[in-house]
Amino acid sequence: MRTGILGGTFDPIHIAHLHAGETALHQAELDRVLFIPAGDPWQKLGRRVSATEHRLEMVRLATAGVDGFRVDDRETTRDGLTYTVDTLATFPEDEELFLILGADAALRIPTWKRHQEVLDRATVLVVPRPGTDSTAVADILPDPVFLDMAVLEVSGTEIRAMVRNGSAFRFLVTNEVHRYISENNLYAEVGGADMVEGPTSMEEPS
Ligand code: ATP
Ligand code: MG
């Protein structure tokens, strides 16, 4: 079994996450891609993050019915801070693991808890991200695999700001996620989220 792991806060999940997951599935010949939302305790380390139930549900809605895509709640059901090294340890030893990371997140791996064990256990698939020089990743990681895909300049931070400002964001997320954001009035509150920038899943504190 070749499993891709795409972790994040997914606040909200957007087209760049989905496009990265699908590209990884094909280019690395994975059997499946697990979308793993980060647990709540992360919010204590930085900006406030929407409730787990909302983030998990948006990931469910966005991935439902997509071949090879799965939602995985192993980080949201675990107590305390979740570190990638611990998450990887929950998989059977004979499962081949691939960490799908934006170039920004990949560059921070050296600051992660027991990062050498992470690199021994999983192959890193690097997703190009605007504003980050992907080639720099090759200087710090042993054997990164660079995904060849459209570079999408979109982020959760920008989408939350668009919702707050009443700007158009509909086609940056799936229809179901767009509807969920409206129906649950997410991100509308001024001064709600984004007061402080903080780490997200796969973006561990050092
Ligand atoms: P936020 O702005 O709230 O941090 P985000 O868009 O960065 O949201 P995350 O949930 O933090 O989304 O990211 C999860 C993973 O997806 C990370 O590895 C991140 O690098 C990657 N990622 C997110 N957006 C992009 C993008 N536009 N291009 C490439 N990778 C991305
Ligand atoms: Mg991020």
Side-chain angles (χ1 to χ4, degrees):
M1 173 79 90
R2 292 163 67 85
T3 297
I5 294 173
L6 211 169
T9 38
F10 299 121
D11 198 18
I13 185 168
H14 53 67
I15 54 167
H17 299 131
L18 297 165
H19 183 52
E22 194 197 23
T23 302
L25 201 56
H26 289 270
Q27 288 179 12
E29 297 179 341
L30 306 178
D31 296 300
R32 57 181 192 159
V33 170
L34 306 184
F35 289 80
I36 309 188
D40 266 343
W42 286 99
Q43 48 189 314
K44 293 180 187 147
L45 298 172
R47 73 168 185 87
R48 282 201 276 144
V49 179
S50 302
T52 296
E53 52 165 307
H54 287 314
R55 296 182 293 107
L56 199 55
E57 184 58 20
M58 288 190 283
V59 176
R60 270 199 197 103
L61 291 169
T63 57
V66 182
D67 279 351
F69 281 11
R70 307 261 185 290
V71 190
D72 187 296
D73 66 359
R74 74 184 72 204
E75 287 200 357
T76 44
T77 51
R78 205 186 309 152
D79 282 340
L81 284 177
T82 48
Y83 293 97
T84 305
V85 68
D86 301 321
T87 299
L88 298 183
T90 62
F91 288 87
E93 269 174 34
D94 59 355
E95 196 163 334
E96 262 189 272
L97 301 179
F98 297 80
L99 271 180
I100 305 162
L101 294 170
D104 58 318
L107 281 178
R108 280 191 292 271
I109 290 180
T111 68
W112 291 6
K113 178 181 160 190
R114 287 157 53 201
H115 67 273
Q116 195 51 53
E117 283 172 59
V118 171
L119 296 174
D120 290 343
R121 180 69 183 87
T123 300
V124 176
L125 305 180
V126 184
V127 182
R129 186 148 204 193
T132 305
D133 174 14
S134 287
T135 58
V137 179
D139 297 334
I140 60 153
L141 296 187
D143 294 302
V145 174
F146 294 94
L147 296 177
D148 181 14
M149 58 172 262
V151 181
L152 297 169
E153 187 152 9
V154 51
S155 68
T157 304
E158 284 172 273
I159 293 171
R160 293 190 299 273
M162 290 170 183
V163 179
R164 235 178 5 252
N165 301 332
S167 312
F169 72 101
R170 168 170 189 176
F171 296 115
L172 301 179
V173 296
T174 69
N175 282 338
E176 291 74 17
V177 170
H178 181 258
R179 190 176 313 124
Y180 189 90
I181 290 171
S182 309
E183 283 176 4
N184 291 277
N185 205 26
L186 299 184
Y187 316 127
E189 180 197 347
V190 174
D194 295 321
M195 298 304 287
V196 197
E197 256 306 316
T200 63
S201 173
M202 309 290 166
E203 302 179 22
E204 305 191 339
S206 37

